[in-house]
Amino acid sequence: MKQCSEQKALLFMTIPFVIWLIIFKYVPIWGWTMAFQDFKPARSFSEQEWVGFKHFQFLFTDERFLGVLRNTLAMSMINLVLGFVTAIGLAVLINEIANMGFKRIVQTISYMPHFLSWVVAASLVSVTLSADGIINEILATLGLADEPILFLGIGEMFWGILGAAETWKNVGWNAIIYLAAISMIDQEQYEAAKIDGASRLQRIRHITIPGMRSVIVILLIMNIGYILESGFEPQYLLGNPMNVQFSENIDVFVIKYGISMFNFSLATAAGIFKTVVSFVFLIAANSFAKKMGEGGLF
C-alpha cells in the first residue's frame, strides 16, 4: 500500500488503459458463448439452442480445417524463423557500418516497406511474380526457364513466397529493436576486444550477440505466443483457387466458412481454439526460458 501511495500518479495514468482493456478485451469474452450454441442473430440469448462442443468436434474432424491448421503452423514457423534471423542479421550489419550517413540511408530504405499497406505490397509481389514480371524476365535472360513460371499458381511455392514477402516488408522495422539493444552495449567492451586482437566476427559473436540475448528471448517468447497468427491480408490477397490448399489459414477459413456463411458459432469456436493454443504456447515458452536461466515475460 505504501508503494501504491507513492506512485499514485502512475496508477492514475494507467486507468484509461485499464478501462480500454476491460471494454475491448474482457467484455467481448461473453461472445464466446456463441461457440456452444447454434447461434441465430435474430434470437435473444435465452432463445439460443445450446449444442455443447458440436462446433469444436466439427473443426477437429473436418479435413479442410486440419489442412488449414497445417498451413497456419507452417507459415507461422517460416515467418518466425526468417523474421528473427534476418532482423538480427540486418541489425548487426547496420551496426557495423562506420559511415553514419550511409547507415541512416540503409536503415531508412530497409524499414520503408513496413509502411506500405498489404494491398499495395501484395500488388507489387503479384506483378513481380507474374508471367511477364521481372523475375521471369531474369530467369529467361539467364536461360534458367524456357517459359514463364506462374509462381502464385504453384501451391507448393506459396509458403516460400509468403515468407520472402513478409521478410521484405518487415525486416527493417523488426531490426529497430535489435539496434536499440545493441546501442545499450558498453562500448568499452568493443575497445577492450580490439586491444586483445579480436576480429570483427569475434566481436560480433562474443559481444554483440550476447548483448542482445535478453531482447531476443523476450521477443521469441512473445512471437511463440502468436504461433497461430500467421496473418490474414497477405494470404487473402495472394491466395487464389490454384494455391488455396496452401494459402488458406485459420483467419481466411473463419471469414470464408464462418462469417461469410453466417455460421458465427463455427467462427467463434475457431477463434477460441486459436486463443487457447496461443496461451498454452506462451506459458510453455516462458517457463522453458526461465528453466534455461533466461528472463521471462512474467
Side-chain angles (χ1 to χ4, degrees), residues 254-269:
V254 167
I255 289 292
K256 284 186 177 181
Y257 305 102
I259 297 175
S260 295
M261 294 184 177
F262 300 101
N263 193 345
F264 301 111
S265 296
L266 181 65
T268 305

Side-chain angles (χ1 to χ4, degrees), residues 77-268:
M77 291 303 299
I78 290 172
N79 292 339
L80 180 66
V81 174
L82 285 179
F84 266 86
V85 173
T86 56
I88 293 171
L90 179 62
V92 171
L93 292 175
I94 291 176
N95 182 65
E96 292 299 315
I97 298 175
N99 188 309
M100 292 302 297
F102 183 63
K103 179 185 289 189
R104 292 193 186 98
I105 292 172
V106 171
Q107 188 173 356
T108 301
I109 292 174
S110 67
Y111 69 63
M112 280 179 63
H114 175 79
F115 297 99
L116 294 176
S117 71
W118 262 115
V119 175
V120 176
S123 298
L124 292 174
V125 173
S126 298
V127 171
T128 302
L129 298 177
S130 64
D132 56 350
I134 188 172
I135 300 299
N136 274 306
E137 291 287 345
I138 293 173
L139 293 176
T141 302
L142 297 176
L144 299 177
D146 297 328
E147 57 184 21
I149 301 172
L150 298 176
F151 291 98
L152 291 176
I154 304 173
E156 290 80 359
M157 299 183 68
F158 186 85
W159 295 348
I161 292 171
L162 181 72
E166 288 272 8
T167 300
W168 161 72
K169 192 173 186 300
N170 297 314
V171 62
W173 184 259
N174 293 337
I176 291 176
I177 192 167
Y178 297 112
L179 285 169
I182 292 174
S183 67
M184 299 299 293
I185 299 174
D186 188 357
Q187 295 301 308
E188 292 183 358
Q189 296 185 46
Y190 290 103
E191 295 173 4
K194 287 181 182 179
I195 294 173
D196 291 339
S199 66
R200 177 170 291 186
L201 288 177
Q202 289 175 325
R203 294 197 297 271
I204 291 173
R205 178 183 175 185
H206 297 289
I207 300 176
T208 306
I209 300 298
M212 293 190 295
R213 187 170 60 189
S214 59
V215 174
I216 292 173
V217 171
I218 293 297
L219 291 178
L220 182 61
I221 293 172
M222 293 175 65
N223 279 273
I224 288 176
Y226 287 95
I227 198 67
L228 292 184
E229 297 287 347
S230 61
F232 168 73
E233 291 175 306
Q235 289 85 351
Y236 189 78
L237 295 169
L238 295 175
N240 58 60
M242 291 184 288
N243 61 32
V244 67
Q245 291 185 341
F246 292 86
S247 64
E248 194 173 75
N249 65 355
I250 292 178
D251 291 330
V252 177
F253 177 87
V254 167
I255 289 292
K256 284 186 177 181
Y257 305 102
I259 297 175
S260 295
M261 294 184 177
F262 300 101
N263 193 345
F264 301 111
S265 296
L266 181 65
T268 305

Side-chain angles (χ1 to χ4, degrees), residues 268-280:
T268 305
I272 292 175
F273 171 73
K274 282 179 54 179
T275 301
V276 172
V277 171
S278 298
F279 182 76
V280 170

Side-chain angles (χ1 to χ4, degrees), residues 18-49:
V18 172
I19 294 174
W20 174 88
L21 188 69
I22 293 172
I23 294 175
F24 292 101
K25 296 297 182 180
Y26 288 99
V27 173
I29 291 178
W30 172 258
W32 280 12
T33 55
M34 288 191 295
F36 307 96
Q37 304 168 343
D38 269 335
F39 181 78
K40 298 294 185 293
R43 298 177 182 175
S44 65
F45 180 79
S46 60
E47 295 174 332
Q48 299 295 338
E49 180 185 354

Side-chain angles (χ1 to χ4, degrees), residues 45-81:
F45 180 79
S46 60
E47 295 174 332
Q48 299 295 338
E49 180 185 354
W50 293 85
V51 294
F53 292 94
K54 170 187 171 182
H55 299 292
F56 292 96
Q57 291 173 353
F58 172 79
L59 287 177
F60 300 137
T61 55
D62 181 58
E63 291 185 5
R64 181 180 291 275
F65 180 78
L66 296 178
V68 165
L69 180 59
R70 177 206 64 179
N71 295 341
T72 303
L73 290 172
M75 287 186 279
S76 292
M77 291 303 299
I78 290 172
N79 292 339
L80 180 66
V81 174

